[in-house]
Every structure is written in C-alpha cells, then in structure tokens.
Amino acid sequence: MNDELERDLTAAGGGLLPFAESLRRAPAAHAAPGFAENVMAKVRRRKRLTWLRPVAFAAAASAAAAVALTAVVDTSAGKPSEEVLMAHQRADGSFTASSASPHVQAFAVSALARKGKPAFHALQLAVNALIRSQGADGGWGSAGLSARNVAALSAANAAGLSLARPAYLRGLRYLRTHGIAEMSAADFSREAKDALARIGTSPDVGLMHSAALASRL
Amino acid sequence: MNDLPDATLMAMAADGDDSAFAEIVSRYQDVLLNFFMRKGVSYADGQDLAQKTLLRLWRYRKRYEPTAKFTTFMFLVAGQVAIDFVRAENRRRGLQEELQRTAEENTFTGRMSSPGETTVACRPPAPDGEAEERVRQTVASLPPAMRDVVELGVFQDLPYADVAEILGIPSGTVKSRMFNALRKLKELMDER
C-alpha cells in the first residue's frame, strides 16, 4: 500500500488499515484462457485495416474508376473513413448500386451512427433509405438481413436519431415473432468482416468503406 | 519485454509494435476484469469491457504521453468504457420497457416475450470463490463516488493525486471520501 494512504489510515484508526490490506489480499478473478490472444487478434486485424488503401481496390477496377479512387486517397489519408463514405452517399440516402451486398446499408448506418454529429445528416438519409425498404411486417425478407438492419437501427437510435426508434421497435418485433435472435455488436462486426473479405477488390467505395468501418467494434 | 516499463511498451506500440502491446494486455487483463467486476457487472460483461478498454488503448496509443503514468491513462479510458456501458444498458432497458408496453397493447402478443424476460444472453457464473464474490459484491454495493476512490486508491494502489486526476475531483476530497468509503465498506462487510 502506498505510504500516503497507509499513514492516513493508521492515523484514522478504527482498524481501517488492516481492513484495507485485507481487501487488497482478497482473491481476484482471472480472464478466461485465450482472452489475450483474442484481443491481440482484433488489434492485428485493426492494423491491417488501416493499411487497406482504397487505391488497392482500384487495382482491379477500370481506368476511370481508378482515377476516381486515387482522388479519394488524397482526401482520406488512405484509410476507410466516414467522410469518404459520406462523399459516396447517393441522393436517396443509399451507398451502392451493387446488388451483390444487400447488407451494405446496415453497415453504413452503423458506421455513421458511431461518427456522431458530423455525420448526423448523412445518418438521417441513410436510415430513411433503410426504413423505405422495411416491409409492412417490420422485416426485410430474410432473417440475416433483418437481424443486421435491426442492429443498425438500434445503433442509429442509440446515437440519438429519434426517427430510427419506431422502425427499430417494428424490426425487433419482427425478429421476435419469427424467432430470430438479435445480433450482438460482435456478431455485427464479424458479419461486416466477412462481407469485406467477400467484396475483395471491388471498386465500389461506398461498399468497401461501409463494410470496413462497420467491422470495427 | 517482460521487464520493460509500461510507458516504454506504449511508445513501442505507438510505433506499431504489437508484441509490446501484447505485453500490456497480459499485464492488465486481470486488473481491468476485476476493476469492472467490482462495479457489479458479470464475469462475461467484465471480460467484454476489459477487451473494449484494451482495444480503445490500442486506438489511443499515439495519444498517450509517456510523461503521464500509464495506469492513470488506462483507468481514465476504463472509466469512459464503464460510462458508455451504463448508458447503453439504460437505453436498452428503456427500449425493453417500451417494447413490452407496446406488446401488451398489441393483439398479437401471444408470440412476444413474457414480462421480465430480456434478450440478454445467459451469462456463465463467475469461476471464482465465495470470498472473492463477497468482497466484489460489497464493493459494488457502495455508492459510485465512494466505490471509485476505494477501487483506485486501495485495489489499484494509486496515490491520491492520481485518483483525483482520474475522477476529476480535488485530492482533499479523495482523502475524505476514502475514509468514509472504507468505514462504510467495513460496516457492510461486518454485516454480511
């Protein structure tokens, strides 16, 4: 125990010093085996993500797309960023024309929700786009897509976007009535990582940035 | 690597050396787990929060100034993680209540969850002994302002000045709060 506290507790009397010492000697819990390895796997994954330069994705793209992506590199410092994502948001609030990844909107909403105030308008537009595609029953057709979209609406609601709340509650009700489990933040991030791996060298900046940003816990 | 000071390891981590950061993880994983569990969270949530803190430390590794004590920086970050957790829990609880209310008003309530049921996954019990659990629960039952000074001053053995910096209160307040907290805690422990 540090001298300062020991001196004061001795002076205070009442058995406080031996009591404080007994507290410190109390047995402690230990992290589960594999905890440190799991943390370091995430750290290494994040390191790789920061090297994920949009220009690398441009390699397999057409010459015109490559020029556009090189311009992106200049403004994004080579990292997946919400600013670049916002720059690629379409007027209707969506982020990609690609039908290859119907989950991109959920990833983008989750990424923008974490950005806070600077992305609030973009988040509003993105959530509106997500709500427009929500069915009357509160779902989006498939179990996986519904679970991801509900998780994204939950993030938008938590970020203070009140318009996301009724849609989130409708979505949650859909999940419950269909026996679909709510998606945890860790599962959501894992899904985004998988999507990122599938996207590979896509020149679609909105798609790549949203998945890369959402894959960070 | 094992005998390097925390500040050196963090400087190496800031240069991208993840094996240095692995040493920080190994040094502080149990410290952080117990820090959160003494706030009253389960073993599983304690691990989640310890992981979040470590990942945030990795993200902030370049912001850490070696002139400051690493543990002061770490507990500041851990305190932010704890606040985020409490806010998220409150929001989740509010939403659950609202959903429950709307479900009760709805005609198709038959397939909704029953009152009191939550979506939180079952947590495994903490793999530790009775004495540890008793200390942890008693500390967790203290008012937060008292609990924090005991956590940092007694369990983490930080000097008053560091506790004051982390909690954003004057050193004199740390000192007086510490006596009151320990007296209260002693009473509670004697009762149990």
Side-chain angles (χ1 to χ4, degrees), chain A residues 8 29-32 47 165 177, chain B residues 16 30 34 43 47 98 132 160:
Chain A
D8 285 347
H30 299 287
K47 254 179 97 174
R165 192 181 179 89
T177 53
Chain B
D30 288 352
N34 286 283
Y43 181 74
Q47 290 217 124
E98 184 171 328
E132 180 196 341
Y160 293 145

Side-chain angles (χ1 to χ4, degrees), chain B residues 36-52:
Chain B
F36 289 114
M37 288 181 75
R38 280 189 292 262
K39 286 182 181 292
V41 305
S42 66
Y43 181 74
D45 281 343
Q47 290 217 124
D48 282 351
L49 296 173
Q51 175 173 295
K52 276 199 171 79

